């Protein structure tokens, strides 16, 4: 009893499954000619696949004679109705002829020639196409997967599909891909495989698995081109290698990747190496024809108007159309044009790219004549679709920025600017709303953002296509503002706190910057040596240097100073110019604005840099000096011995050529002796000094050290040496260390 | 050193401009105690100077030995812990800081950092001053939450610590905080007072001021003492002895705004608005606060406006400034004001000339 009942139940549940095959599958195109997608794309894909032939099929390829072509053409007429003829394709390798058969009539020469040339070439070279991966992208339901399958079968491949439902971590996917791409099937029919990776952009997890593996193979391929020392680890090539010295390439089978979003970040690298085909919607009439055919077959009564409306509504998503029709058929309902919204057809929950959103907002849809009549209805529909579009996108902040960036460039008629005012007011409301939501976390209020965009759309949208730009300005403004504030803050930290406490960023920018720059570059300062200046000028200079030190401003070398360029004087590129070190003059440089501020001359700047440096050293050393003197006296004795040994060792290095010079330059001698030993060590530190100068300086020393130093002198020099001599070698100041003097003597 | 800093009065006795305020502050010093203080007034009026002078009067020269430090505070909110870095200026008697630097985390600065410092009683050998002083700058930029947490601190630790708050506008300080402080209004100095200060500096620097020169600079400075002194020094640097009709070069950003104003007055169209937008961006990038831009733009526009329109334009400027403070994208509101102005102006022109 029970068993029969179970059987009965089983039978019941089984029957509908058998009868109700999905229409989508039932009527899926089985041959190339049945494809609904765009003819051009189909051909391109096929052509690409054909380019693999010489690589994959090797010597099996031969040119097609005209009679076979015509025979096939005859055959192709029947094939459309007769899906069983598909077996023919799988059997005969000559299926690729179909590709030539369906080549565009306009350019039969170039394409077929191209193909033939690849055919005629000996497969000794790797004849795989330039781009080894095909990337098909486009919205759902247009037949990307179908195309890939059909085209691959058409060319005599065995299709292996990896899609989102499979495990696709990098580790598990790699052997799989390698299997497909490099192994040969040992099955009886031994068709080469073609890999189709479906939905490569989605469900990739963190590893981006598939993309990485493919890229690796492509790269390996490229490397192989240069050196052919790659182990023959692939069994696949047996056939080829037996024939000729076929090189082992990594990627030996066509790979077709399918994605929805071409610009998904995971695909960035793949995009550069793959041949990309973007799917466009097939024409509505094509879709409707197919739908009609199917409906007729299934005995479902519809009108072509209803079908075309359906196709339009689903944006030519054939899968969705068929599913809907099948569902309605099952429910025994008729397709009703007006009731699409209430009917079963689900709208796809698709978020468009933000650029599309802006485009939709700023571009008015062209009204068709039929819709003109019921303008109100279509208007409502527009608002509805816009609303869902914007709210699906969600990113209101960026959306509004984009609208703000672009709406002024539209050519709307607005003599009194009422529309502009209205738009900006509304944008202001949106800004306030965002701020309020962030502060109070009432996220539900965000729902009022789309109507704001719709309002703007209603006010300014134009029929002509807007030239949408990404709202860079606002972002740039924000980052640069932060950057500048940061520079000012760090500058403030360098100043003495007694000054910086009164110098907030606001007050500096608002009040101080402009006068400060004027004060820093007095007009009547002459770039002459200090001793040539009048008393007043000296005073002014001292004041200026004092100010610069106090506010820790100095000049630094830059490659190029725009200010001088603007003034017309030509600055040679190799001579670096000096500009303010905290770039405070940036604060007053606006675009299209010529400031009254005139910078100092280069020579004057150099003088100032020098003076500022000097002042800083004086300040630093002032504190240290006292301690050092005390220490120096105490540790006199031990250092003398040190010095003696130091000079002794130094003598050996160079003795010969010192005599002649030592007589002519007694001053130098003196300095050399005083600097010997200890003095040399710190002097070695600066790296930018010319070597010749110091070599001559070194040669002087031994002679002097030997002959002229008596004990008393030595004591004096040692004491002097104890004060560490730190100097910076400046280009142009050759008299820097010719006399034994203290740095503070130099400075004062 | 700039004259602004060089001739800044260091003690309350030397204050020239706000003598009355200084006198009152001196009384606190004499009584050796003071309440919490809130200084408010426009920029360049001498708030900071008064505060510094007051502190010096209280604690003596010790407060001038200040050091700047970037301290990192560990904040534990219960749900998460994070580090908060804050720059502060401190001497042995007082601490200065700018809590609004912490942005939206300013609440924690008040709750944790200030409380922490307020708690610790300074150790003073003489026991004379049993409190330390915390100077908080830009209190008006503190968020509402931070200000709310401030009031409890003010009450609880008043025994060991005095707060001196400093801000531009007291209207943005909550009522609760204001009522806990002695409010000290620091007016913008009058032009006469500025002239007085400039003459004082002139004497110190041994300069000959021609008649009316100081007054002219004072007028140019817009009653901002800092600006006046800087202008004065600029003039000195550019040309001395001063000529009879010498003026200081204008501030660059103000010059730029007035260029924008002429642009707006010459053409009113969306296209022009777009180019104005780019210029606004230029200003904003250079840290010019949008409020000042709007204010300056309004004054520039006012100069060339028919008196019938003035009232209306002012109204809208206020309207959009209010919006601007509520929102966060200043450019939207600046632009909206310009658009509104263009609209009003164009309508007026059309009505007047047909």
């Amino acid at each position: 009893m029970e068993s029969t009942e179970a059987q009965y139940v089983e039978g019941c549940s089984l029957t509908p499954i058998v009868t109700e095959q999905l229409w989508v599958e039932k009527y899926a195109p089985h041959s190339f000619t049945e494809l609904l997608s765009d003819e051009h794309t189909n051909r391109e894909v096929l052509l690409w696949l054909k380019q693999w032939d010489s690589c994959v099929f090797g010597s099996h390829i031969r040119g097609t004679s005209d009679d076979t072509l015509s025979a096939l053409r005859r055959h192709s007429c029947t094939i459309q109705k007769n899906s069983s003829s598909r077996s023919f394709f799988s059997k005969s390798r000559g299926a690729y002829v179909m590709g030539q058969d369906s080549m565009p009539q306009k350019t039969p020469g170039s394409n077929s020639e191209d193909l033939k040339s690849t055919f005629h070439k000996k497969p000794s070279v790797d004849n795989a196409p330039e781009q080894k991966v095909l990337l098909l992208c486009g919205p759902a339901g247009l037949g990307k997967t179908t195309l890939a399958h059909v085209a691959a079968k058409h060319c005599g491949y065995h299709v292996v599909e990896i899609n989102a439902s499979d495990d696709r971590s990098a580790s598990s996917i790699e052997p799989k891909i390698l299997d497909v791409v490099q192994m040969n099937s040992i099955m009886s029919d031994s068709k080469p495989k073609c890999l189709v990776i479906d939905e490569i952009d989605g469900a990739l997890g963190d590893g981006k698995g598939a993309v990485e593996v493919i890229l690796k193979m492509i790269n390996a391929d490229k490397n192989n081109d240069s050196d052919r020392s790659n182990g023959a680890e692939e069994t696949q090539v047996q056939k080829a290698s037996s024939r000729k010295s076929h090189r082992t390439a990594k990627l030996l089978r066509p790979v077709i990747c399918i994605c929805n979003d071409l610009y998904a970040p995971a695909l960035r690298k793949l995009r550069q190496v793959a041949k990309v085909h973007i799917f466009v919607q097939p024409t509505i009439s094509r879709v409707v024809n197919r739908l009609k055919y199917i409906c007729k077959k299934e005995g479902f009564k519809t009108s072509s108007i209803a079908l075309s409306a359906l196709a339009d509504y689903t944006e030519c998503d054939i899968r969705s159309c068929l599913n809907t029709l099948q569902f309605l058929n099952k429910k025994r309902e008729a397709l009703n044009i007006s009731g699409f919204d209430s009917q079963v057809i689900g709208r796809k929950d698709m978020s468009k790219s933000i650029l599309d959103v802006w485009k939709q907002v700023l571009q008015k849809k062209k009204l068709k004549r039929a819709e003109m009549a019921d303008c109100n209805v279509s208007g409502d529909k527009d608002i509805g679709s816009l609303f869902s579009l914007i709210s699906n996108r969600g990113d209101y902040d960026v959306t509004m920025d984009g609208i703000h960036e672009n709406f002024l460039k539209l050519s709307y008629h607005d003599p009194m600017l009422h529309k502009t005012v209205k738009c900006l007011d509304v944008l202001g409301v949106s800004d306030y709303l965002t701020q309020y939501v962030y502060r109070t976390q009432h996220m539900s209020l965000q729902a009022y953002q789309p109507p704001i965009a719709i309002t703007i759309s209603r006010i300014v949208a134009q029929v002509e296509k807007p030239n949408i730009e990404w709202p860079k300005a606002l972002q740039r403004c924000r980052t640069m503002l932060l950057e500048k504030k940061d520079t000012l803050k760090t500058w403030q930290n360098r100043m003495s706190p007694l000054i910086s406490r009164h110098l907030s960023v606001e007050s500096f920018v608002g009040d101080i910057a402009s006068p400060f720059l004027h004060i820093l570059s007095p007009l009547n300062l002459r770039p002459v040596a200090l001793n040539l200046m009048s008393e007043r000028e000296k005073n002014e200079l001292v004041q200026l240097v004092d100010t610069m030190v106090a506010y820790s401003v100095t000049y630094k070398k830059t490659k190029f100073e725009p200010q001088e360029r603007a003034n017309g004087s030509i600055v040679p590129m190799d001579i670096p110019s000096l500009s303010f070190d905290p770039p405070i003059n940036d604060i007053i440089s606006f675009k299209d604005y010529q400031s009254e501020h005139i910078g100092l001359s280069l020579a004057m700047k150099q003088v100032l840099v020098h003076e500022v440096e000097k002042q800083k050293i004086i300040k630093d050393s002032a504190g240290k000096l006292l301690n050092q003197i005390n220490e120096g006296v105490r540790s006199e004795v031990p250092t003398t011995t040190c010095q003696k040994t130091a000079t002794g060792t130094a003598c050996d290095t160079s003795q010969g050529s010192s005599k002649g010079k030592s007589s002519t330059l007694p001053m130098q001698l003196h300095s050399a002796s005083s600097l010997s030993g200890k003095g040399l060590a710190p002097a070695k530190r600066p790296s930018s000094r010319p070597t010749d100068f110091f070599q001559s300086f070194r040669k002087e020393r031994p002679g002097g050290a030997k002959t002229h130093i008596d004990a008393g002198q030595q004591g004096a020099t040692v004491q002097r040496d104890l004060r560490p001599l730190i100097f910076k070698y400046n280009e142009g100041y050759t008299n820097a260390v010719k006399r034994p003097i203290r740095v503070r003597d130099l400075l004062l | 050193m700039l004259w602004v800093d060089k001739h800044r009065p260091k003690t309350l006795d030397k204050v020239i401009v706000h003598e009355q305020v200084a006198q009152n502050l001196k009384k606190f010093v004499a009584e050796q105690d003071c309440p919490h203080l809130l200084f408010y007034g426009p920029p360049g009026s001498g708030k900071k100077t008064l505060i510094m002078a007051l502190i010096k009067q209280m604690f003596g020269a010790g407060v001038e030995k200040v050091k700047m430090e970037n301290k990192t505070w560990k904040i534990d909110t219960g749900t998460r812990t994070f580090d908060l870095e804050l720059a502060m200026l401190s001497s042995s008697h007082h601490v200065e800081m700018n809590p609004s630097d912490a942005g939206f985390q300013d609440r924690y600065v008040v709750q944790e950092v200030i409380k922490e410092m307020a708690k610790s009683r300074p150790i003073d050998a003489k026991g004379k001053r049993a409190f330390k002083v915390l100077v908080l700058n830009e209190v008006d930029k503190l968020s509402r939450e931070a200000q709310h947490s401030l009031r409890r601190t003010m009450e609880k630790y008043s025994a060991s610590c005095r707060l001196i708050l400093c801000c531009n506008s007291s209207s943005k300080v909550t009522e609760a905080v204001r009522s806990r402080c002695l409010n000290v209004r620091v007016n913008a100095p009058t032009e006469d007072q500025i002239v007085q200060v400039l003459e004082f500096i002139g004497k110190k620097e041994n300069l000959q001021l021609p008649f009316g020169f100081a007054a002219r600079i004072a007028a140019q400075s817009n009653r901002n003492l800092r600006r006046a002194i800087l202008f004065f020094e600029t003039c000195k640097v550019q040309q001395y002895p001063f000529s009879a009709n010498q003026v200081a070069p204008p501030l660059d950003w103000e010059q730029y705004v007035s260029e924008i104003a002429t642009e707006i007055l010459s053409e009113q169209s969306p296209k022009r608005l777009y180019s104005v937008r780019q210029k606004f961006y230029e200003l904003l990038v250079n840290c010019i606060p949008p409020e000042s831009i709007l204010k300056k733009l309004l004054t520039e526009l006012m100069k060339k406006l028919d008196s019938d329109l003035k009232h209306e334009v002012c109204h809208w400027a206020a309207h959009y400034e209010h919006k601007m403070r509520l929102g966060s994208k200043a450019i939207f509101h600046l632009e909206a004001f310009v658009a509104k102005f263009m609209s009003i102006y164009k309508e007026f022109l059309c009505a007047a000339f047909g």
Side-chain angles (χ1 to χ4, degrees):
Chain A
M1 261 300 273
E2 274 184 87
S3 66
T4 50
E5 212 175 89
Q7 263 181 346
Y8 177 71
V9 170
E10 202 181 325
C12 266
S13 64
L14 254 174
T15 33
I17 294 171
V18 174
T19 51
E20 283 301 309
Q21 199 188 357
L22 275 179
W23 287 8
V24 177
E25 279 162 28
K26 199 168 165 191
Y27 294 97
H30 295 299
S31 76
F32 189 74
T33 41
E34 281 178 40
L35 286 172
L36 262 182
S37 41
D38 180 51
E39 197 77 10
H40 183 68
T41 316
N42 295 350
R43 280 182 195 139
E44 288 280 318
V45 171
L46 200 63
L47 186 64
W48 178 80
L49 270 172
K50 296 307 292 180
Q51 285 171 11
W52 280 93
D53 277 358
S54 60
C55 168
V56 176
F57 297 108
S59 59
H60 291 258
I61 308 304
R62 60 195 150 67
T64 355
S65 55
D66 283 327
D67 52 322
T68 40
L69 257 177
S70 55
L72 277 162
R73 196 172 289 139
R74 252 181 287 121
H75 182 78
S76 71
C77 301
T78 56
I79 202 168
Q80 231 159 344
K81 299 278 141 59
N82 189 3
S83 64
S84 67
S85 65
R86 178 170 141 250
S87 57
F88 165 80
F89 284 97
S90 53
K91 256 181 276 166
S92 73
R93 279 284 151 68
Y96 56 78
V97 185
M98 281 303 290
Q100 281 187 326
D101 182 36
S102 53
M103 280 299 149
Q105 304 300 316
K106 315 149 242 172
T107 59
S110 63
N111 278 332
S112 54
E113 248 172 54
D114 179 33
L115 273 181
K116 268 177 192 157
S117 65
T118 51
F119 292 160
H120 290 315
K121 255 190 245 163
K122 279 281 151 200
S124 57
V125 243
D126 213 2
N127 271 337
E130 192 86 335
Q131 290 137 321
K132 310 217 171 206
V133 179
L134 185 73
L135 187 59
L136 295 176
C137 65
L142 295 194
K144 297 181 296 296
T145 315
T146 314
L147 170 65
H149 279 256
V150 169
K153 270 182 200 152
H154 190 93
C155 292
Y157 291 95
H158 175 68
V159 180
V160 178
E161 184 180 318
I162 298 176
N163 62 29
S165 54
D166 295 323
D167 184 20
R168 42 168 69 197
S169 68
S171 54
S172 68
I173 209 166
E174 184 159 7
K176 223 173 193 173
I177 292 178
L178 287 180
D179 272 4
V180 174
V181 178
Q182 291 166 339
M183 306 293 180
N184 216 7
S185 156
I186 50 160
M187 303 299 265
S188 55
D189 57 348
S190 76
K191 272 192 283 179
K193 287 169 181 167
C194 168
L195 182 64
V196 174
I197 305 176
D198 208 350
E199 294 152 43
I200 195 167
D201 54 341
L204 280 179
D206 46 354
K208 297 177 193 168
V211 177
E212 257 164 35
V213 174
I214 291 170
L215 282 173
K216 215 161 72 189
M217 285 198 288
I218 292 173
N219 288 336
D221 231 8
K222 276 178 189 155
N223 294 341
N224 279 3
D225 282 347
S226 50
D227 67 332
R228 29 179 84 203
S229 61
N230 197 19
E233 78 266 59
E234 276 76 46
T235 55
Q236 181 275 129
V237 269
Q238 297 298 2
K239 197 167 41 174
S241 58
S242 67
R243 216 170 37 245
K244 273 251 173 180
S245 62
H246 197 295
R247 255 186 303 136
T248 46
K250 282 255 178 169
L251 201 64
L252 290 167
R253 293 288 178 265
V255 176
I256 303 175
C257 301
I258 298 170
C259 65
N260 287 128
D261 180 12
L262 179 58
Y263 297 101
L267 298 181
R268 194 173 295 144
K269 279 182 185 152
L270 188 63
R271 216 161 52 218
Q272 291 159 1
V273 293
K275 189 175 175 66
V276 178
H277 275 296
I278 298 170
F279 259 66
V280 286
Q281 290 180 3
T283 52
I284 288 182
S285 63
R286 267 185 96 159
V287 176
V288 169
N289 275 341
R290 172 62 69 93
L291 289 179
K292 243 194 224 163
Y293 166 76
I294 292 168
C295 286
K296 215 166 103 189
K297 275 238 160 183
E298 288 290 330
F300 181 62
K301 287 215 168 88
T302 49
S303 62
S304 52
I305 298 170
L307 283 177
S308 66
L310 178 67
D312 191 32
Y313 186 77
T314 55
E315 293 168 357
C316 290
D317 181 345
I318 302 147
R319 183 170 26 203
S320 158
C321 286
L322 281 178
N323 283 339
T324 311
L325 286 174
Q326 189 175 14
F327 184 65
L328 289 176
N329 187 36
K330 196 79 191 141
K331 276 173 72 183
R332 316 248 170 248
E333 271 180 28
L335 190 62
N336 195 355
I337 314 173
S338 57
F340 275 152
D341 293 312
S342 57
Q343 247 168 348
V344 284
I345 317 155
R347 259 229 169 283
K348 274 180 277 184
D349 185 19
M350 246 185 353
S351 67
K352 293 252 179 138
S353 87
I354 189 102
L355 281 168
D356 282 337
V357 174
W358 292 329
K359 213 171 271 172
Q360 295 271 322
V361 168
L362 298 178
Q363 189 175 16
K364 215 185 268 175
K365 269 196 191 134
K366 267 183 208 147
L367 288 179
K368 281 179 196 144
R369 214 165 281 155
E371 289 170 42
M372 284 291 210
D374 49 358
C375 206
N376 275 332
V377 180
S378 75
D380 287 348
K381 223 192 273 172
D382 271 0
I383 290 179
S385 68
L386 255 184
F387 186 91
S388 63
L389 184 74
I390 297 164
S391 53
N392 279 347
R393 177 67 213 176
D395 201 350
Y396 300 122
D397 208 25
V398 182
T399 311
M400 291 302 167
D401 284 352
I403 292 171
H404 171 250
E405 178 78 22
N406 289 299
F407 88 92
L408 278 180
K409 281 181 254 169
L410 300 176
S411 54
Y412 54 95
H413 179 70
D414 192 14
M416 289 301 166
L417 285 116
H418 289 312
K419 288 179 179 176
T420 317
V421 170
K422 181 98 183 134
C423 281
L424 282 164
D425 275 351
V426 169
L427 277 174
V429 171
S430 145
D431 174 34
Y432 172 47
L433 187 61
T434 315
Q435 189 71 7
Y436 183 81
V437 167
Y438 282 155
R439 215 181 62 224
T440 59
Q441 299 291 310
H442 289 314
M443 287 303 172
S444 55
L445 288 178
Q446 289 281 32
Y448 294 101
Q449 294 275 18
I452 289 171
I454 292 170
T455 314
I456 294 170
S457 168
R458 301 296 279 183
I459 297 171
V460 296
Q462 294 296 298
V463 177
E464 60 254 46
K465 199 170 167 231
N467 187 15
I468 303 284
E469 264 177 42
W470 190 270
K472 277 173 284 194
L474 198 63
Q475 302 294 335
R476 204 199 64 148
C477 175
R478 273 184 199 154
T479 49
M480 287 197 36
L481 182 65
L482 285 181
E483 222 171 84
K484 289 218 169 169
K485 274 198 174 152
D486 218 44
T487 337
L488 288 177
K489 280 258 161 70
T490 38
W491 176 44
Q492 247 181 40
N493 284 346
R494 273 191 292 169
M495 280 183 248
S496 121
L498 281 177
I499 291 170
S500 69
R501 70 160 70 155
H502 292 289
L503 197 102
S504 68
V505 171
E506 284 78 29
S507 71
F508 176 76
V509 169
D511 299 337
I512 302 176
S514 302
F516 187 50
L517 281 171
H518 283 294
I519 290 165
L520 285 186
S521 40
L523 298 173
N524 46 6
L525 216 57
R526 290 181 301 150
V528 291
L530 269 180
N531 46 5
L532 295 177
M533 280 184 178
S534 69
E535 198 59 33
R536 213 186 107 196
E537 277 176 325
K538 249 186 213 167
N539 269 338
E540 273 170 12
L541 185 70
V542 166
Q543 246 180 29
L544 177 57
V545 170
D546 183 44
T547 311
M548 283 178 73
V549 172
Y551 294 86
S552 88
V553 177
T554 180
Y555 291 95
K556 71 169 178 211
K557 286 180 183 174
T558 47
K559 289 265 158 50
F560 170 67
E561 198 181 59
Q563 192 111 30
E564 285 181 40
R565 265 292 155 89
N567 287 349
S569 64
I570 299 144
V571 188
M573 279 314 242
D574 51 332
I575 294 178
S577 57
L578 296 165
S579 63
F580 282 111
D581 186 8
I584 37 180
N585 50 345
D586 281 2
I587 288 290
I588 58 149
S589 69
F590 307 111
K591 218 167 90 190
D592 307 325
Y593 172 75
Q594 193 64 52
S595 159
E596 275 182 47
H597 169 76
I598 301 158
L600 291 169
S601 65
L602 186 62
M604 194 62 232
K605 281 178 186 171
Q606 270 166 348
V607 171
L608 279 174
V609 172
H610 180 64
E611 292 290 320
V612 167
E613 203 91 325
K614 222 168 80 176
Q615 282 294 324
K616 274 184 190 162
I617 294 172
I618 290 179
K619 271 199 171 174
D620 289 345
S621 63
K624 291 176 194 165
L625 214 58
L626 270 171
N627 300 337
Q628 281 166 0
I629 290 170
N630 293 338
E631 265 177 52
V633 172
R634 236 173 278 144
S635 59
E636 188 179 339
V637 184
T639 38
T640 16
T641 53
C642 280
Q643 194 224 7
K644 267 182 181 169
T645 54
T647 48
T649 50
C651 305
D652 307 330
T653 54
S654 57
Q655 273 183 324
S657 65
S658 59
K659 268 197 174 176
K661 275 182 189 171
S662 62
S663 56
T664 54
L665 297 166
M667 293 301 268
Q668 272 192 343
L669 264 181
H670 196 65
S671 92
S673 65
S674 77
L675 275 167
S676 63
K678 249 192 149 181
L680 206 62
K684 268 179 187 166
R685 255 177 255 143
S687 56
S688 63
R689 86 186 88 101
T691 48
D692 54 343
F693 169 70
F694 271 85
Q695 261 153 17
S696 70
F697 162 73
R698 224 175 269 157
K699 279 166 195 163
E700 243 64 85
R701 181 164 35 75
K706 262 185 184 172
T707 53
H708 297 286
I709 298 175
D710 58 356
Q713 238 181 337
Q714 207 173 18
T717 46
V718 168
Q719 195 175 357
R720 210 166 15 226
D721 291 342
L722 290 171
R723 290 160 202 142
L725 175 70
I726 299 167
F727 68 88
K728 191 174 167 188
Y729 177 73
N730 282 321
E731 215 170 335
Y733 289 85
T734 50
N735 57 348
V737 275
K738 283 184 182 168
R739 282 193 301 141
I741 46 168
R742 296 182 194 106
V743 172
R744 73 185 138 99
D745 294 336
L746 269 174
L747 295 170
L748 291 174
Chain B
M1 229 187 264
L2 293 179
W3 290 355
V4 189
D5 293 316
K6 195 173 168 188
H7 299 287
R8 197 184 289 281
K10 293 279 190 309
T11 56
L12 288 174
D13 301 314
K14 289 183 186 160
V15 170
I16 301 173
V17 180
H18 301 286
E19 232 169 323
Q20 194 55 49
V21 178
Q23 290 305 322
N24 288 334
L25 290 177
K26 243 191 280 180
K27 281 175 200 156
F28 291 136
V29 179
E31 285 166 21
Q32 308 208 342
D33 199 6
C34 80
H36 297 305
L37 294 171
L38 171 67
F39 285 80
Y40 62 99
S45 57
K47 303 177 290 294
K48 255 326 197 15
T49 311
L50 278 173
I51 293 173
M52 290 310 133
L54 173 68
I55 293 176
K56 177 149 189 214
Q57 205 93 359
M58 276 183 185
F59 300 106
V63 290
E64 296 208 329
K65 276 185 198 152
V66 285
K67 61 176 191 290
M68 187 85 170
E69 50 191 343
N70 271 319
K71 264 195 189 167
T72 313
W73 299 83
K74 271 218 179 330
I75 306 288
D76 187 2
T77 59
T79 50
R80 68 198 177 107
T81 54
F82 59 93
D83 287 340
L84 187 75
E85 205 182 281
L86 197 69
M88 53 182 73
L89 210 70
S90 55
S91 75
S92 50
H93 300 284
H94 86 293
V95 177
E96 276 173 64
M97 66 171 115
N98 200 344
S100 61
D101 277 351
F104 61 93
Q105 288 168 335
D106 53 3
R107 186 154 58 99
Y108 304 116
V109 176
V110 174
Q111 286 175 346
E112 304 288 328
V113 179
I114 295 181
K115 208 157 87 182
E116 196 60 39
M117 277 188 291
K119 259 191 220 165
S120 64
R121 223 181 161 86
I123 301 159
D124 196 0
K126 295 163 200 158
K128 231 166 73 181
R129 302 256 178 260
F131 59 87
K132 69 199 280 183
V133 169
L134 275 174
V135 181
L136 305 183
N137 292 318
E138 297 178 18
V139 205
D140 47 353
K141 285 189 190 160
L142 280 180
S143 66
R144 196 165 291 271
E145 291 81 9
Q147 292 192 22
H148 282 313
S149 21
L150 192 59
R151 53 182 187 186
R152 185 78 191 115
T153 312
M154 290 174 105
E155 274 173 5
K156 204 168 172 190
Y157 304 106
S158 60
S160 60
C161 151
R162 296 286 175 279
L163 290 178
I164 298 184
L165 312 177
C166 177
C167 65
N168 280 342
S169 163
S170 67
S171 66
K172 272 175 233 142
V173 181
T174 53
E175 189 72 37
V177 173
R178 260 187 289 163
S179 72
R180 281 167 174 77
C181 297
L182 179 77
N183 296 8
V184 182
R185 175 167 168 77
V186 184
N187 289 323
T190 60
E191 288 185 12
D192 289 341
Q193 281 171 322
I194 291 177
V195 169
Q196 216 179 327
V197 172
L198 292 184
E199 273 165 0
F200 168 78
I201 292 173
K203 208 157 69 187
K204 274 272 178 87
E205 294 282 332
N206 281 325
L207 300 175
Q208 294 288 325
L209 296 187
F211 178 75
F213 177 74
R216 213 164 37 240
I217 286 181
Q220 203 188 347
S221 71
N222 207 6
R223 289 181 68 189
N224 182 334
L225 191 58
R226 185 190 295 127
R227 260 189 221 187
I229 298 173
L230 280 163
F231 281 150
F232 185 43
E233 192 175 355
T234 310
C235 286
K236 154 76 174 56
V237 161
Q238 288 196 328
Q239 190 187 6
Y240 182 78
F242 301 115
S243 65
N245 51 358
Q246 189 179 351
V247 282
L251 293 175
D252 289 282
W253 73 267
E254 294 201 343
Q255 198 66 15
Y256 198 62
V257 172
S258 70
E259 273 178 25
I260 294 176
T262 24
E263 220 174 286
I264 293 169
L265 287 167
S266 64
E267 190 192 323
Q268 297 86 33
S269 68
K271 216 175 111 201
R272 180 50 62 95
L273 185 60
Y274 188 73
S275 81
V276 167
R277 174 195 293 176
Q278 305 306 327
K279 297 203 161 182
F280 277 147
Y281 273 135
E282 280 290 312
L283 283 168
L284 288 175
V285 159
N286 282 319
C287 312
I288 313 276
E291 293 85 17
S292 344
I293 298 177
L294 188 66
K295 199 173 165 195
K296 183 68 194 167
L297 185 65
L298 181 66
T299 47
E300 288 295 327
L301 289 173
M302 280 300 175
K303 280 182 199 164
K304 292 160 191 165
L305 218 54
D306 196 277
S307 53
D308 295 349
L309 288 181
K310 277 185 180 166
H311 177 74
E312 199 182 350
V313 170
C314 279
H315 166 76
W316 286 113
H319 173 82
Y320 286 111
E321 191 186 338
H322 176 64
K323 288 273 187 77
M324 186 156 69
R325 288 183 195 269
L326 290 178
S328 63
K329 291 174 191 160
I331 188 83
F332 284 14
H333 308 282
L334 281 175
E335 228 178 286
F337 168 68
V338 174
K340 188 78 197 172
F341 174 81
M342 280 179 169
S343 174
I344 292 169
Y345 191 64
K346 204 164 186 190
E347 262 176 8
F348 171 76
L349 287 184
C350 286
F353 305 108

